[in-house]
Amino acid sequence: MLEPDPKVVRELLTRYASLRIAQAERERPATARELADVSYTLCVMMATTSIHDAVAKADALLLAKGRTTATAPAEPEGESGLSLAV
């Protein structure tokens, strides 16, 4: 099975969290559609049918990748290895 690129996973988690916040602050049809698209993409990428499972798997993937690169040189600007999922 192919493993998703951690950078893409991190970007999707960030977008997912941002859209969840935006939707909670003010519900809009466009935001709801984009949130559904990002959720679907995250589910497909993580091979799940539930967004909660997808977020958990994405967090686990990023955590595992963070451990394997712990001895590598410092990450580029803004890459802390912390989960961004909400």
Side-chain angles (χ1 to χ4, degrees):
M1 184 164 127
L2 294 176
E3 187 173 275
D5 182 353
K7 290 180 183 178
V8 175
V9 172
R10 184 174 287 119
E11 288 172 11
L12 281 171
L13 284 174
T14 301
R15 189 69 189 138
Y16 174 78
S18 297
L19 289 166
R20 287 280 309 257
I21 291 167
Q23 191 69 352
E25 289 175 348
R26 181 174 177 213
E27 291 188 25
R28 287 189 252 171
T31 305
R33 280 190 303 276
E34 192 173 353
L35 180 59
D37 288 345
V38 170
S39 297
Y40 174 80
T41 303
L42 197 52
C43 284
V44 169
M45 189 169 279
M46 301 313 299
T48 66
T49 56
S50 159
I51 188 60
H52 298 291
D53 292 342
V55 168
K57 279 184 137 181
D59 280 342
L61 173 74
L62 294 177
L63 183 61
K65 289 298 176 183
R67 285 186 185 145
T68 60
T69 60
T71 58
E75 293 185 56
E77 304 170 26
E79 299 288 331
S80 67
L82 297 176
S83 171
L84 299 175
V86 174

